[in-house]
Amino acid sequence: MIRIVLLALASALVAGPALAQDGQGLGTTSRGRAGSDAFVVEAAQRALDGAEADCRVTGAVSRGRDANGDTHYEAVCAEGPGYVVIGSPQPQAFSCLAFDASGGPLTGTSCRLPENRDARRHYAQMAADAGVDCEVEEGRLIGMSADGHMLYEIGCRRAAGVWLEQAGGDWEVTDCLTVASQGGECRLTSDSQARASFALRLEGSELAGCTPADVRAMGRGADGDYFELLCAGGPHVVTRFDMDRRLAEIIPCAEARKIGSGCRYNPDDIRP
């Protein structure tokens, strides 16, 4: 089962003094300096290095000081999304994607520099780096996995989206039905897109002629992921995919009563 830890920054920023003042005018103040000021760029870089954020700063602005007297910087990175970083004795850095209004864990503020406002561009680059072949429409930062890796959801145009997990320099891609089988949720992929994606997984198998009318994730076991599958004009079965995403078993619903809650779909209620 997928275990998600929403970023600790959510409570820190909303409840604490750090960015709670953002809506009350915390921004570039008379003490703030423009991104062309080398002093601000260097200060932002030091703070990000202290926060162990992977960012080579190419531009930055000071967004003023908080109630603790710590300066907040917004930084543009040479690669990837920018950050808001708090230049405290123990610096804290927060990805601009966390402030994205499309559904990230933080929606009370935003990054303001033009380079940081095009979130879709960053999600598209992530998808390309992960080998996902789709036209990215939107994305969202989900949080962190139990292993401490960043999790993102990618929404695709006219295609099913995926979850991306960043582990070091590598990406792990998980389709939305598998996400559901592990207890997660895709918000940027429709049911019809998910069904079309599932049909691709059946290619080359004895279910290759199935047009999924309904697919339901039943959960993950030690031997793989289970899905209830109702084919239009065809069989109503439970399918098991092994850990390599290969179709390993087809189980008639009559024999699947002890798998999860058994089959639920009514073949008389096939979606048009």
Short mmCIF file of all heavy atoms in Angstrom, two decimals, residues 186-245:
data_model
loop_
_atom_site.label_atom_id
_atom_site.label_comp_id
_atom_site.label_asym_id
_atom_site.label_seq_id
_atom_site.Cartn_x
_atom_site.Cartn_y
_atom_site.Cartn_z
N CYS A 186 -5.65 9.08 -8.18
CA CYS A 186 -5.31 10.02 -9.25
C CYS A 186 -6.47 11.00 -9.42
O CYS A 186 -7.60 10.57 -9.64
CB CYS A 186 -5.06 9.29 -10.56
SG CYS A 186 -3.46 8.48 -10.68
N ARG A 187 -6.19 12.27 -9.34
CA ARG A 187 -7.23 13.30 -9.49
C ARG A 187 -7.26 13.90 -10.89
O ARG A 187 -8.20 14.61 -11.23
CB ARG A 187 -7.00 14.42 -8.47
CG ARG A 187 -7.04 13.97 -7.02
CD ARG A 187 -6.78 15.14 -6.09
NE ARG A 187 -6.70 14.72 -4.70
CZ ARG A 187 -6.38 15.54 -3.70
NH1 ARG A 187 -6.11 16.82 -3.96
NH2 ARG A 187 -6.31 15.08 -2.46
N LEU A 188 -6.21 13.63 -11.67
CA LEU A 188 -6.08 14.28 -12.97
C LEU A 188 -6.32 13.33 -14.12
O LEU A 188 -6.06 13.68 -15.28
CB LEU A 188 -4.67 14.90 -13.09
CG LEU A 188 -4.25 15.83 -11.95
CD1 LEU A 188 -2.85 16.36 -12.18
CD2 LEU A 188 -5.24 16.98 -11.77
N THR A 189 -6.83 12.13 -13.83
CA THR A 189 -7.13 11.13 -14.87
C THR A 189 -8.58 10.70 -14.73
O THR A 189 -9.02 10.35 -13.64
CB THR A 189 -6.21 9.91 -14.74
OG1 THR A 189 -4.87 10.30 -15.06
CG2 THR A 189 -6.63 8.78 -15.67
N SER A 190 -9.32 10.73 -15.84
CA SER A 190 -10.73 10.33 -15.82
C SER A 190 -10.86 8.81 -15.85
O SER A 190 -9.91 8.09 -16.19
CB SER A 190 -11.45 10.93 -17.03
OG SER A 190 -10.98 10.32 -18.23
N ASP A 191 -12.05 8.31 -15.52
CA ASP A 191 -12.31 6.87 -15.56
C ASP A 191 -12.12 6.33 -16.97
O ASP A 191 -11.57 5.24 -17.16
CB ASP A 191 -13.72 6.56 -15.06
CG ASP A 191 -13.87 6.77 -13.56
OD1 ASP A 191 -12.83 6.86 -12.87
OD2 ASP A 191 -15.02 6.85 -13.08
N SER A 192 -12.60 7.06 -17.96
CA SER A 192 -12.48 6.58 -19.35
C SER A 192 -11.02 6.49 -19.77
O SER A 192 -10.61 5.57 -20.49
CB SER A 192 -13.26 7.49 -20.30
OG SER A 192 -12.74 8.80 -20.28
N GLN A 193 -10.19 7.44 -19.34
CA GLN A 193 -8.77 7.40 -19.65
C GLN A 193 -8.11 6.20 -18.97
O GLN A 193 -7.27 5.51 -19.57
CB GLN A 193 -8.09 8.69 -19.20
CG GLN A 193 -8.44 9.90 -20.05
CD GLN A 193 -7.88 11.19 -19.47
OE1 GLN A 193 -7.70 11.32 -18.26
NE2 GLN A 193 -7.60 12.16 -20.34
N ALA A 194 -8.51 5.92 -17.73
CA ALA A 194 -7.94 4.79 -17.01
C ALA A 194 -8.32 3.47 -17.67
O ALA A 194 -7.51 2.55 -17.77
CB ALA A 194 -8.39 4.81 -15.56
N ARG A 195 -9.58 3.36 -18.14
CA ARG A 195 -10.01 2.13 -18.81
C ARG A 195 -9.24 1.91 -20.11
O ARG A 195 -8.84 0.79 -20.43
CB ARG A 195 -11.52 2.17 -19.09
CG ARG A 195 -12.37 2.12 -17.84
CD ARG A 195 -13.82 1.78 -18.18
NE ARG A 195 -14.46 2.73 -19.07
CZ ARG A 195 -15.08 3.82 -18.68
NH1 ARG A 195 -15.16 4.12 -17.39
NH2 ARG A 195 -15.66 4.62 -19.57
N ALA A 196 -9.04 2.98 -20.87
CA ALA A 196 -8.29 2.86 -22.12
C ALA A 196 -6.85 2.45 -21.84
O ALA A 196 -6.26 1.64 -22.58
CB ALA A 196 -8.32 4.19 -22.87
N SER A 197 -6.26 2.96 -20.77
CA SER A 197 -4.91 2.58 -20.40
C SER A 197 -4.84 1.12 -19.99
O SER A 197 -3.88 0.40 -20.33
CB SER A 197 -4.41 3.47 -19.26
OG SER A 197 -3.13 3.07 -18.81
N PHE A 198 -5.87 0.64 -19.29
CA PHE A 198 -5.88 -0.76 -18.86
C PHE A 198 -5.96 -1.69 -20.06
O PHE A 198 -5.36 -2.77 -20.07
CB PHE A 198 -7.06 -1.00 -17.92
CG PHE A 198 -6.99 -2.32 -17.19
CD1 PHE A 198 -6.23 -2.46 -16.05
CD2 PHE A 198 -7.69 -3.42 -17.66
CE1 PHE A 198 -6.16 -3.67 -15.38
CE2 PHE A 198 -7.63 -4.63 -17.00
CZ PHE A 198 -6.85 -4.76 -15.85
N ALA A 199 -6.70 -1.28 -21.09
CA ALA A 199 -6.82 -2.11 -22.29
C ALA A 199 -5.45 -2.37 -22.91
O ALA A 199 -5.19 -3.45 -23.45
CB ALA A 199 -7.75 -1.44 -23.31
N LEU A 200 -4.56 -1.39 -22.83
CA LEU A 200 -3.22 -1.57 -23.38
C LEU A 200 -2.45 -2.65 -22.63
O LEU A 200 -1.60 -3.34 -23.21
CB LEU A 200 -2.45 -0.24 -23.33
CG LEU A 200 -3.03 0.91 -24.15
CD1 LEU A 200 -2.20 2.18 -23.94
CD2 LEU A 200 -3.07 0.54 -25.64
N ARG A 201 -2.75 -2.81 -21.35
CA ARG A 201 -2.06 -3.82 -20.55
C ARG A 201 -2.50 -5.23 -20.92
O ARG A 201 -1.83 -6.20 -20.57
CB ARG A 201 -2.30 -3.57 -19.06
CG ARG A 201 -1.78 -2.25 -18.58
CD ARG A 201 -2.11 -1.96 -17.13
NE ARG A 201 -1.48 -2.88 -16.21
CZ ARG A 201 -1.47 -2.73 -14.90
NH1 ARG A 201 -2.08 -1.67 -14.36
NH2 ARG A 201 -0.89 -3.60 -14.12
N LEU A 202 -3.63 -5.34 -21.61
CA LEU A 202 -4.15 -6.65 -21.99
C LEU A 202 -3.63 -7.12 -23.34
O LEU A 202 -3.85 -8.27 -23.72
CB LEU A 202 -5.68 -6.60 -22.03
CG LEU A 202 -6.39 -6.19 -20.73
CD1 LEU A 202 -7.89 -6.07 -20.96
CD2 LEU A 202 -6.09 -7.17 -19.60
N GLU A 203 -2.95 -6.25 -24.06
CA GLU A 203 -2.47 -6.60 -25.39
C GLU A 203 -1.52 -7.79 -25.31
O GLU A 203 -0.67 -7.88 -24.43
CB GLU A 203 -1.77 -5.42 -26.04
CG GLU A 203 -2.72 -4.28 -26.41
CD GLU A 203 -2.02 -3.12 -27.09
OE1 GLU A 203 -0.76 -3.14 -27.13
OE2 GLU A 203 -2.70 -2.22 -27.59
N GLY A 204 -1.70 -8.72 -26.25
CA GLY A 204 -0.85 -9.90 -26.28
C GLY A 204 -1.26 -11.01 -25.35
O GLY A 204 -0.61 -12.05 -25.28
N SER A 205 -2.36 -10.80 -24.60
CA SER A 205 -2.86 -11.83 -23.68
C SER A 205 -4.14 -12.41 -24.24
O SER A 205 -4.66 -11.98 -25.26
CB SER A 205 -3.11 -11.23 -22.30
OG SER A 205 -4.30 -10.45 -22.31
N GLU A 206 -4.70 -13.40 -23.54
CA GLU A 206 -5.96 -13.99 -24.00
C GLU A 206 -7.14 -13.04 -23.79
O GLU A 206 -8.25 -13.32 -24.25
CB GLU A 206 -6.23 -15.32 -23.29
CG GLU A 206 -6.21 -15.26 -21.77
CD GLU A 206 -6.25 -16.64 -21.15
OE1 GLU A 206 -7.33 -17.28 -21.20
OE2 GLU A 206 -5.21 -17.10 -20.64
N LEU A 207 -6.90 -11.93 -23.14
CA LEU A 207 -7.93 -10.90 -22.99
C LEU A 207 -7.69 -9.72 -23.94
O LEU A 207 -8.27 -8.64 -23.75
CB LEU A 207 -7.98 -10.40 -21.54
CG LEU A 207 -8.52 -11.38 -20.49
CD1 LEU A 207 -8.37 -10.80 -19.09
CD2 LEU A 207 -9.97 -11.75 -20.77
N ALA A 208 -6.87 -9.93 -24.94
CA ALA A 208 -6.52 -8.83 -25.84
C ALA A 208 -7.73 -8.23 -26.54
O ALA A 208 -7.73 -7.05 -26.90
CB ALA A 208 -5.49 -9.31 -26.86
N GLY A 209 -8.78 -9.01 -26.76
CA GLY A 209 -9.97 -8.49 -27.44
C GLY A 209 -10.95 -7.80 -26.54
O GLY A 209 -11.99 -7.32 -26.99
N CYS A 210 -10.63 -7.69 -25.26
CA CYS A 210 -11.54 -7.07 -24.29
C CYS A 210 -11.52 -5.55 -24.41
O CYS A 210 -10.46 -4.92 -24.43
CB CYS A 210 -11.14 -7.47 -22.87
SG CYS A 210 -12.00 -6.56 -21.56
N THR A 211 -12.72 -4.96 -24.50
CA THR A 211 -12.87 -3.51 -24.34
C THR A 211 -13.39 -3.26 -22.94
O THR A 211 -14.55 -3.56 -22.65
CB THR A 211 -13.86 -2.95 -25.38
OG1 THR A 211 -13.38 -3.20 -26.69
CG2 THR A 211 -14.05 -1.45 -25.19
N PRO A 212 -12.56 -2.77 -22.04
CA PRO A 212 -13.00 -2.62 -20.65
C PRO A 212 -14.20 -1.68 -20.53
O PRO A 212 -14.14 -0.52 -20.95
CB PRO A 212 -11.78 -2.05 -19.95
CG PRO A 212 -10.62 -2.48 -20.80
CD PRO A 212 -11.14 -2.42 -22.21
N ALA A 213 -15.29 -2.22 -19.99
CA ALA A 213 -16.44 -1.38 -19.69
C ALA A 213 -16.31 -0.81 -18.29
O ALA A 213 -16.76 0.30 -18.00
CB ALA A 213 -17.73 -2.20 -19.79
N ASP A 214 -15.67 -1.57 -17.42
CA ASP A 214 -15.39 -1.12 -16.06
C ASP A 214 -14.16 -1.85 -15.56
O ASP A 214 -13.96 -3.04 -15.86
CB ASP A 214 -16.56 -1.37 -15.11
CG ASP A 214 -17.43 -0.13 -14.93
OD1 ASP A 214 -16.86 0.95 -14.73
OD2 ASP A 214 -18.67 -0.25 -14.99
N VAL A 215 -13.34 -1.14 -14.81
CA VAL A 215 -12.16 -1.73 -14.16
C VAL A 215 -12.11 -1.18 -12.75
O VAL A 215 -12.27 0.02 -12.53
CB VAL A 215 -10.86 -1.37 -14.90
CG1 VAL A 215 -9.67 -2.07 -14.23
CG2 VAL A 215 -10.93 -1.73 -16.37
N ARG A 216 -11.87 -2.08 -11.81
CA ARG A 216 -11.80 -1.65 -10.41
C ARG A 216 -10.57 -2.26 -9.76
O ARG A 216 -10.35 -3.47 -9.82
CB ARG A 216 -13.06 -2.10 -9.65
CG ARG A 216 -13.07 -1.72 -8.17
CD ARG A 216 -14.38 -2.13 -7.52
NE ARG A 216 -14.55 -3.58 -7.45
CZ ARG A 216 -14.12 -4.33 -6.43
NH1 ARG A 216 -13.48 -3.76 -5.40
NH2 ARG A 216 -14.33 -5.64 -6.44
N ALA A 217 -9.77 -1.41 -9.15
CA ALA A 217 -8.62 -1.91 -8.40
C ALA A 217 -9.11 -2.57 -7.12
O ALA A 217 -9.90 -1.99 -6.37
CB ALA A 217 -7.67 -0.76 -8.06
N MET A 218 -8.66 -3.80 -6.86
CA MET A 218 -9.09 -4.55 -5.69
C MET A 218 -8.04 -4.57 -4.58
O MET A 218 -8.35 -4.89 -3.44
CB MET A 218 -9.45 -5.98 -6.10
CG MET A 218 -10.55 -6.06 -7.13
SD MET A 218 -10.89 -7.75 -7.68
CE MET A 218 -11.68 -8.44 -6.23
N GLY A 219 -6.82 -4.25 -4.94
CA GLY A 219 -5.77 -4.22 -3.93
C GLY A 219 -4.53 -4.97 -4.38
O GLY A 219 -4.49 -5.57 -5.45
N ARG A 220 -3.52 -4.92 -3.55
CA ARG A 220 -2.24 -5.58 -3.85
C ARG A 220 -1.99 -6.68 -2.85
O ARG A 220 -2.19 -6.52 -1.63
CB ARG A 220 -1.10 -4.57 -3.81
CG ARG A 220 0.29 -5.18 -3.77
CD ARG A 220 1.39 -4.19 -4.03
NE ARG A 220 1.50 -3.88 -5.46
CZ ARG A 220 2.53 -3.23 -5.98
NH1 ARG A 220 3.53 -2.82 -5.22
NH2 ARG A 220 2.58 -2.98 -7.28
N GLY A 221 -1.56 -7.83 -3.35
CA GLY A 221 -1.15 -8.94 -2.51
C GLY A 221 0.33 -9.22 -2.70
O GLY A 221 1.01 -8.52 -3.47
N ALA A 222 0.82 -10.24 -2.02
CA ALA A 222 2.23 -10.58 -2.13
C ALA A 222 2.59 -11.03 -3.55
O ALA A 222 3.76 -10.97 -3.95
CB ALA A 222 2.59 -11.67 -1.13
N ASP A 223 1.58 -11.47 -4.30
CA ASP A 223 1.83 -11.98 -5.64
C ASP A 223 1.40 -11.02 -6.75
O ASP A 223 1.37 -11.38 -7.92
CB ASP A 223 1.13 -13.33 -5.84
CG ASP A 223 -0.37 -13.26 -5.52
OD1 ASP A 223 -0.84 -12.19 -5.08
OD2 ASP A 223 -1.05 -14.28 -5.71
N GLY A 224 1.04 -9.80 -6.41
CA GLY A 224 0.73 -8.83 -7.45
C GLY A 224 -0.50 -7.99 -7.17
O GLY A 224 -1.04 -7.99 -6.05
N ASP A 225 -0.97 -7.29 -8.22
CA ASP A 225 -2.12 -6.39 -8.13
C ASP A 225 -3.35 -7.06 -8.74
O ASP A 225 -3.27 -7.66 -9.83
CB ASP A 225 -1.82 -5.08 -8.87
CG ASP A 225 -0.68 -4.31 -8.23
OD1 ASP A 225 -0.71 -4.14 -7.00
OD2 ASP A 225 0.23 -3.87 -8.96
N TYR A 226 -4.48 -6.89 -8.05
CA TYR A 226 -5.73 -7.51 -8.48
C TYR A 226 -6.70 -6.44 -8.97
O TYR A 226 -6.85 -5.38 -8.36
CB TYR A 226 -6.36 -8.29 -7.33
CG TYR A 226 -5.63 -9.56 -6.98
CD1 TYR A 226 -4.49 -9.54 -6.19
CD2 TYR A 226 -6.09 -10.80 -7.44
CE1 TYR A 226 -3.82 -10.71 -5.86
CE2 TYR A 226 -5.43 -11.98 -7.12
CZ TYR A 226 -4.29 -11.92 -6.33
OH TYR A 226 -3.63 -13.09 -6.02
N PHE A 227 -7.37 -6.74 -10.09
CA PHE A 227 -8.36 -5.83 -10.66
C PHE A 227 -9.60 -6.63 -11.07
O PHE A 227 -9.48 -7.71 -11.66
CB PHE A 227 -7.81 -5.13 -11.91
CG PHE A 227 -6.56 -4.32 -11.66
CD1 PHE A 227 -5.31 -4.89 -11.82
CD2 PHE A 227 -6.64 -2.99 -11.29
CE1 PHE A 227 -4.17 -4.16 -11.60
CE2 PHE A 227 -5.50 -2.25 -11.07
CZ PHE A 227 -4.26 -2.84 -11.22
N GLU A 228 -10.75 -6.07 -10.77
CA GLU A 228 -11.99 -6.61 -11.33
C GLU A 228 -12.17 -6.00 -12.71
O GLU A 228 -12.07 -4.78 -12.88
CB GLU A 228 -13.19 -6.27 -10.45
CG GLU A 228 -14.51 -6.81 -11.01
CD GLU A 228 -15.71 -6.41 -10.17
OE1 GLU A 228 -15.53 -5.76 -9.12
OE2 GLU A 228 -16.85 -6.73 -10.58
N LEU A 229 -12.43 -6.84 -13.70
CA LEU A 229 -12.54 -6.39 -15.08
C LEU A 229 -13.85 -6.87 -15.69
O LEU A 229 -14.14 -8.07 -15.70
CB LEU A 229 -11.36 -6.94 -15.91
CG LEU A 229 -11.43 -6.75 -17.43
CD1 LEU A 229 -11.40 -5.27 -17.79
CD2 LEU A 229 -10.28 -7.49 -18.10
N LEU A 230 -14.62 -5.91 -16.18
CA LEU A 230 -15.86 -6.22 -16.89
C LEU A 230 -15.68 -5.78 -18.34
O LEU A 230 -15.53 -4.59 -18.62
CB LEU A 230 -17.04 -5.48 -16.25
CG LEU A 230 -18.41 -5.64 -16.92
CD1 LEU A 230 -18.84 -7.11 -16.97
CD2 LEU A 230 -19.46 -4.81 -16.18
N CYS A 231 -15.65 -6.77 -19.25
CA CYS A 231 -15.46 -6.47 -20.67
C CYS A 231 -16.81 -6.24 -21.35
O CYS A 231 -17.78 -6.95 -21.05
CB CYS A 231 -14.75 -7.63 -21.37
SG CYS A 231 -13.11 -8.01 -20.69
N ALA A 232 -16.88 -5.28 -22.23
CA ALA A 232 -18.10 -5.03 -22.98
C ALA A 232 -18.38 -6.22 -23.89
O ALA A 232 -17.58 -6.54 -24.76
CB ALA A 232 -17.97 -3.75 -23.81
N GLY A 233 -19.50 -6.89 -23.64
CA GLY A 233 -19.86 -8.04 -24.45
C GLY A 233 -18.96 -9.24 -24.24
O GLY A 233 -18.93 -10.16 -25.07
N GLY A 234 -18.21 -9.25 -23.16
CA GLY A 234 -17.26 -10.34 -22.93
C GLY A 234 -17.22 -10.78 -21.49
O GLY A 234 -18.19 -10.59 -20.75
N PRO A 235 -16.11 -11.34 -21.06
CA PRO A 235 -16.04 -11.92 -19.71
C PRO A 235 -16.05 -10.89 -18.60
O PRO A 235 -15.71 -9.72 -18.79
CB PRO A 235 -14.71 -12.69 -19.74
CG PRO A 235 -13.88 -11.97 -20.76
CD PRO A 235 -14.85 -11.50 -21.80
N HIS A 236 -16.43 -11.37 -17.43
CA HIS A 236 -16.41 -10.61 -16.18
C HIS A 236 -15.51 -11.40 -15.25
O HIS A 236 -15.88 -12.48 -14.78
CB HIS A 236 -17.83 -10.47 -15.63
CG HIS A 236 -17.90 -9.66 -14.37
ND1 HIS A 236 -18.98 -9.71 -13.52
CD2 HIS A 236 -17.04 -8.77 -13.81
CE1 HIS A 236 -18.79 -8.90 -12.50
NE2 HIS A 236 -17.61 -8.32 -12.66
N VAL A 237 -14.30 -10.90 -14.99
CA VAL A 237 -13.28 -11.69 -14.32
C VAL A 237 -12.49 -10.82 -13.34
O VAL A 237 -12.62 -9.59 -13.31
CB VAL A 237 -12.29 -12.30 -15.34
CG1 VAL A 237 -13.01 -13.30 -16.24
CG2 VAL A 237 -11.62 -11.21 -16.17
N VAL A 238 -11.64 -11.49 -12.57
CA VAL A 238 -10.62 -10.83 -11.77
C VAL A 238 -9.28 -11.14 -12.42
O VAL A 238 -9.00 -12.29 -12.79
CB VAL A 238 -10.64 -11.31 -10.31
CG1 VAL A 238 -9.40 -10.81 -9.56
CG2 VAL A 238 -11.90 -10.84 -9.61
N THR A 239 -8.49 -10.12 -12.62
CA THR A 239 -7.17 -10.30 -13.22
C THR A 239 -6.09 -10.02 -12.18
O THR A 239 -6.25 -9.11 -11.35
CB THR A 239 -6.96 -9.36 -14.42
OG1 THR A 239 -7.12 -8.00 -13.99
CG2 THR A 239 -7.97 -9.66 -15.52
N ARG A 240 -5.04 -10.81 -12.25
CA ARG A 240 -3.88 -10.57 -11.37
C ARG A 240 -2.67 -10.27 -12.24
O ARG A 240 -2.34 -11.02 -13.15
CB ARG A 240 -3.59 -11.77 -10.49
CG ARG A 240 -2.33 -11.57 -9.62
CD ARG A 240 -2.09 -12.73 -8.67
NE ARG A 240 -1.77 -13.97 -9.36
CZ ARG A 240 -0.54 -14.31 -9.76
NH1 ARG A 240 0.48 -13.48 -9.55
NH2 ARG A 240 -0.33 -15.46 -10.36
N PHE A 241 -2.04 -9.13 -11.96
CA PHE A 241 -0.81 -8.75 -12.64
C PHE A 241 0.35 -8.92 -11.66
O PHE A 241 0.25 -8.51 -10.50
CB PHE A 241 -0.87 -7.30 -13.12
CG PHE A 241 -1.81 -7.10 -14.28
CD1 PHE A 241 -3.18 -7.00 -14.08
CD2 PHE A 241 -1.32 -7.03 -15.57
CE1 PHE A 241 -4.04 -6.82 -15.16
CE2 PHE A 241 -2.18 -6.85 -16.65
CZ PHE A 241 -3.54 -6.75 -16.44
N ASP A 242 1.43 -9.53 -12.13
CA ASP A 242 2.58 -9.73 -11.25
C ASP A 242 3.32 -8.41 -11.03
O ASP A 242 2.93 -7.36 -11.57
CB ASP A 242 3.50 -10.84 -11.77
CG ASP A 242 4.15 -10.49 -13.12
OD1 ASP A 242 4.25 -9.30 -13.47
OD2 ASP A 242 4.55 -11.43 -13.84
N MET A 243 4.38 -8.48 -10.26
CA MET A 243 5.09 -7.26 -9.89
C MET A 243 5.79 -6.60 -11.09
O MET A 243 6.22 -5.45 -11.00
CB MET A 243 6.11 -7.55 -8.78
CG MET A 243 5.46 -7.99 -7.47
SD MET A 243 4.23 -6.80 -6.86
CE MET A 243 3.76 -7.59 -5.32
N ASP A 244 5.88 -7.33 -12.19
CA ASP A 244 6.44 -6.76 -13.42
C ASP A 244 5.34 -6.28 -14.36
O ASP A 244 5.60 -6.02 -15.54
CB ASP A 244 7.32 -7.79 -14.14
CG ASP A 244 8.57 -8.12 -13.35
OD1 ASP A 244 9.16 -7.19 -12.77
OD2 ASP A 244 8.95 -9.31 -13.32
N ARG A 245 4.09 -6.19 -13.84
CA ARG A 245 2.93 -5.68 -14.57
C ARG A 245 2.50 -6.59 -15.72
O ARG A 245 1.85 -6.15 -16.64
CB ARG A 245 3.22 -4.26 -15.10
CG ARG A 245 3.35 -3.22 -14.02
CD ARG A 245 3.94 -1.92 -14.52
NE ARG A 245 3.36 -1.49 -15.77
CZ ARG A 245 2.27 -0.74 -15.88
NH1 ARG A 245 1.65 -0.33 -14.78
NH2 ARG A 245 1.81 -0.38 -17.07
#
